[in-house]
Amino acid sequence: MSARTALINPARSHHWQPAACPGQAPRHWRPWLKDEGSLTQRLTRAANGEFAVRVLSQRWSRPTADEARALGMRSRQVALIREVELLGKDGTPWVYARSVLPATTLTGRERRLRLIGSRSLGSLMFSDPSLSRSPLFAAALTDDHGQRYWARRSVFRLHAKPLLVCEVFLPAMEHVQYPL
Ligand SMILES: C=C(O[C@@H]1C=C(C(=O)O)C=C[C@H]1O)C(=O)O
């Protein structure tokens, strides 16, 4: 639960910096933080084809003020908040991801994103020719036990409608080589 606590604690704003030059990020994390492709594809390669999404929660709620700001949302608007773990080799949780999909994004073709279950959000998004992505930002998050995680986030747009994806790399990824 610790990565989730660190990430979703509304009282704790994070210092997001451009992932292209993530300051004091240790060398191991840098390629993961700035990879502009699909994390699903990259993790699948790193795990020699093993990959799964475990849905932890998916519910309508209000995003944190920081998330609403990143999405240009008015603070009272609701969004579909999706929290998952991305499982790599032997079903080990490698990434915790929190995605914020505004109700105004889940219209038209994007309505289908409400019902993706344990399919990867990324695998659907990266197959959509209308997809665009803002620059990636990175931050070091610390949970209530002092455990530090490196995280990244970016705003995707499908048919010009935004959604925010934040991915927190979990300790098990310390030993996962970035696959070129
Ligand atoms: C954005 C991507 O989708 C991944 C899958 C997610 C999901 O299914 O909720 C969330 C974040 C991502 O790590 C990706 O693969 O790059």
Side-chain angles (χ1 to χ4, degrees), residues 37-41 43 51 53 82-84 86 95 97-99 116-123 125-126 133 152 156 165-167:
S38 164
L39 188 57
T40 294
Q41 285 178 9
L43 293 176
F51 177 84
V53 174
R82 173 179 167 89
E83 295 179 84
V84 303
L86 305 184
V95 173
R98 176 180 160 103
S99 302
I116 63 173
S118 60
R119 283 177 291 163
S120 158
L121 176 61
S123 59
M125 291 200 296
F126 279 91
R133 185 178 202 167
R152 67 185 205 159
F156 287 92
V165 174
C166 183
E167 295 146 329

Side-chain angles (χ1 to χ4, degrees), residues 156-170:
F156 287 92
R157 282 180 171 76
L158 291 165
H159 297 101
K161 297 179 288 183
L163 60 100
L164 178 68
V165 174
C166 183
E167 295 146 329
V168 184
F169 294 103
L170 299 176

Side-chain angles (χ1 to χ4, degrees), residues 17-23 33-34 136-138:
Q17 54 186 332
C21 46
L33 291 170
K34 58 188 184 181
L136 279 153
F137 286 82

